[in-house]
Amino acid sequence: MHTVVVGTSGVTASDVLAVVRGGARVELSAEAVAALAASREIVDALAAKPDPVYGVSTGFGALATRHIGPELRAQLQRNIVRSHAAGMGPRVEREVVRALMFLRLKTVCSGRTGVRPEVARTMADVLNAGITPVVHEYGSLGCSGDLAPLSHCALTLMGEGEAEGPDGSVRPAGELLAEHGIRPVELREKEGLALLNGTDGMLGMLVMALADLDVLYKSADVTAALTLEALLGTDKVLAPDLHAIRPHPGQAASAANMLAVLKGSGLTGHHQDDAPRVQDAYSVRCAPQVAGAGRDTLAHARLVAERELASAVDNPVVLPDGRVESNGNFHGAPVAYVLDFLAIAVADLASIAERRTDRLLDKNRSHGLPPFLADDPGVDSGLMIAQYTQAALVSELKRLAVPASADSIPSSAMQEDHVSMGWSAARKLRTAVDNLTRVVAVELYAATRAVELREGLTPAPATRAVVEAVRAAGVGGPGPDRHLAPDLAAADAFVRDGRLVAAVETVTGPLG
């Protein structure tokens, strides 16, 4: 099994995906263990002094003015975990919880948090055992970290609360730890706070969204090309020299992908045959510009994610010179902004895909295709309601594009008076990515049927590969009306697991 070694300098997106989706094992480097021990010595020394130090010998948040004596500090750390594990609502997905735990471990291993090596080892042991704390949808404001979600994870380390075992059953966390030979941690000064104070949930969801959207943007380039082909459009607008004079990298990449898919097509260029057109509609002609802008947004979001993956986010932090300083690095604004930015790009990509689908179904704009791509229009409704479903998804995506980070609700008796709402931005982006997948699947379903209805014209080799693969996957082709939901579900799965991109790349080679 693949193993990810966590050191002091952060982790990569590939590391995150390997652990949260691939089940990779986690180990601590010798460097990380040494850094943990060194920073713990600093915390222990400060704890022995009479002067109050935030997070070590004081209360938290608006209660930070109270000095806590040595006899109550272990209870203080237990109490912050128990009281902050106050989430409500549905359970969060397993991969998100694993990301929470792994990314908090990443920061702990930086040596900037003052946590003992044995706590970090327990975090790794829980991940490796496949034990997943029960974390709820609501409880994070994205400031002072993803507090409630991370608290539910820390509660499991203490052997309290509920967790899901590797078999999927939810049981008391203490039982699961005992079954796997893991001793619950006894938290000491600073450790409870250090386990809660991070942007780990929103960052984990950002990393996963970037991976999913990388595939989806390629998929959208493919379906846009298939629609252009089915509409007998021109591929001249995809010429590299046209895109070179407006040098946005994402735009050039999308145009190149579409051109690769259309290479060798016998359908493109017929836009002057029976119903002369000077230009194709914007949803076809401007596909690279819209998808390209989204790709460039992905690139910016990836840069933010890389910086955050290299960060040690905690408050207070232990600095190499021995200072323990309060700071504001836990604020989620950098991550929240790009999560919201991605939701906007996702909504627009879905919107242009839906417009192309509608054009394929409208006999007045489809250049010779039957109404709704029906077998016997009037008797058959064809794909009429598939487009309704797609439109409903796009409408929802537009609502999800409203930025969460523009909101802030003060908390902790006005001590935490400006929050990022980054967790909320991440949660709605996950829904948006799911819905974009469905929207692209509907365009794929319509475009492949439309291409097959262009009798006497030969589609591109890449298009033929897609049609063959999608039909082999159980997605039906042209014919009389049938129950559409199973076909659409099969198309969704075909896009979601990357088979659409894989089918094209058997002909084109890797897409950009």
Side-chain angles (χ1 to χ4, degrees):
M1 182 181 290
H2 179 58
T3 298
V4 171
V5 178
V6 184
T8 60
S9 57
V11 296
T12 66
S14 296
D15 292 334
V16 176
L17 295 170
V19 172
V20 306
R21 288 180 168 173
R25 288 187 59 79
V26 178
E27 292 182 3
L28 312 186
S29 72
E31 176 193 30
V33 173
L36 284 158
S39 68
R40 186 63 209 181
E41 288 182 5
I42 294 170
V43 170
D44 285 342
L46 288 171
K49 294 181 178 180
D51 301 325
V53 177
Y54 178 68
V56 176
S57 54
T58 70
F60 309 112
L63 303 175
T65 54
R66 178 177 171 183
H67 181 250
I68 308 297
E71 71 283 359
L72 293 175
R73 290 176 189 168
Q75 181 181 338
L76 171 70
Q77 299 301 321
R78 287 194 301 271
N79 284 353
I80 190 176
V81 173
R82 289 167 177 163
S83 66
H84 286 43
M88 294 182 73
R91 284 177 57 194
V92 171
E93 304 86 355
R94 182 176 185 271
E95 64 181 12
V96 174
V97 180
R98 287 182 63 81
L100 273 164
M101 293 189 293
F102 177 65
L103 290 171
R104 185 75 320 227
L105 176 61
K106 174 268 296 184
T107 283
V108 164
C109 286
S110 69
R112 304 275 74 84
T113 70
V115 169
R116 289 168 295 151
E118 48 264 48
V119 176
R121 290 194 185 99
T122 302
M123 296 170 77
D125 289 343
V126 170
L127 280 165
N128 292 337
I131 298 171
T132 307
V134 170
V135 174
H136 299 279
E137 181 85 17
Y138 302 104
S140 173
L141 300 180
C143 203
S144 286
D146 290 318
L147 285 175
L150 283 165
S151 297
H152 282 278
C153 294
L155 201 65
T156 294
L157 297 177
M158 292 166 50
E160 300 181 19
E162 289 189 321
E164 179 185 297
D167 63 353
S169 64
V170 175
R171 296 163 51 200
E175 289 182 13
L176 288 167
L177 294 184
E179 281 185 8
H180 290 84
I182 302 171
R183 289 187 60 182
V185 297
E186 300 262 346
L187 297 176
R188 289 171 46 183
E189 293 94 343
K190 176 77 171 62
E191 291 178 335
L193 185 61
L195 294 177
L196 317 185
N197 238 326
T199 56
D200 308 295
M202 64 183 92
L203 175 59
M205 287 185 273
L206 173 59
V207 169
M208 288 184 280
L210 288 169
D212 294 338
L213 289 171
D214 183 62
V215 175
L216 276 173
Y217 268 82
K218 292 175 184 176
S219 300
D221 290 340
V222 172
T223 58
L226 297 185
T227 297
L228 183 153
E229 193 173 24
L231 291 172
L232 307 180
T234 177
D235 59 0
K236 290 182 178 180
V237 296
L238 305 174
D241 54 355
L242 289 176
H243 296 277
I245 61 176
R246 194 190 190 194
H248 293 287
Q251 176 180 322
S254 286
N257 284 346
M258 290 181 66
L259 204 55
V261 173
L262 294 170
K263 185 177 181 181
S265 173
L267 279 74
T268 58
H270 289 271
H271 62 292
Q272 294 292 343
D273 289 358
D274 297 319
R277 290 171 267 164
V278 176
Q279 302 172 116
D280 291 315
Y282 280 13
S283 60
V284 176
R285 185 170 20 128
C286 301
Q289 284 76 10
V290 172
R295 284 169 166 270
D296 291 342
T297 302
L298 285 176
H300 171 60
R302 193 170 290 113
L303 176 62
V304 172
E306 288 169 355
R307 289 171 177 164
E308 198 75 358
L309 287 168
S311 300
V313 177
D314 193 16
N315 180 47
V317 290
V318 182
L319 296 170
D321 62 5
R323 288 154 48 225
V324 176
E325 296 284 4
S326 290
N327 66 90
N329 285 341
F330 50 73
H331 200 287
V335 182
Y337 291 170
V338 293
L339 288 162
D340 280 333
F341 198 179
L342 288 174
I344 293 169
V346 163
D348 201 36
L349 185 64
S351 179
I352 197 171
E354 183 276 328
R355 287 294 80 206
R356 288 192 296 263
T357 303
D358 182 66
R359 186 165 288 272
L360 287 168
L361 305 189
D362 183 352
K363 70 180 182 65
N364 296 311
R365 295 179 291 139
S366 66
H367 309 288
L369 290 169
F372 303 105
L373 306 181
D375 186 62
D376 184 5
V379 174
D380 294 312
S381 294
L383 306 191
M384 179 190 295
I385 307 304
Q387 185 268 332
Y388 281 40
T389 298
Q390 195 186 38
L393 289 163
V394 170
S395 182
E396 175 72 5
L397 282 164
K398 291 175 182 178
R399 289 191 290 274
L400 292 168
V402 175
S405 58
D407 186 29
S408 175
I409 297 180
S411 55
S412 191
M414 291 298 287
Q415 176 71 8
E416 298 171 10
D417 59 353
H418 182 83
V419 297
S420 77
M421 303 307 298
W423 172 273
S424 299
R427 296 305 295 164
K428 70 183 182 66
L429 179 60
R430 283 180 71 81
T431 302
V433 171
D434 270 350
N435 285 352
L436 175 61
T437 307
R438 298 179 180 109
V439 168
V440 172
V442 175
E443 183 179 17
L444 171 68
Y445 188 48
T448 52
R449 178 181 285 207
V451 165
E452 288 181 291
L453 290 171
R454 292 294 188 187
E455 297 179 359
L457 295 172
T458 304
T463 301
R464 293 198 298 273
V466 169
V467 172
E468 290 170 5
V470 81
R471 298 292 172 253
V475 181
D481 279 357
R482 57 182 173 271
H483 182 193
L484 279 189
D487 274 0
L488 294 175
D492 174 50
F494 189 75
V495 173
R496 191 174 297 274
D497 63 18
R499 281 178 287 163
L500 171 58
V501 173
V504 168
E505 290 181 338
T506 61
V507 177
T508 63
L511 296 177

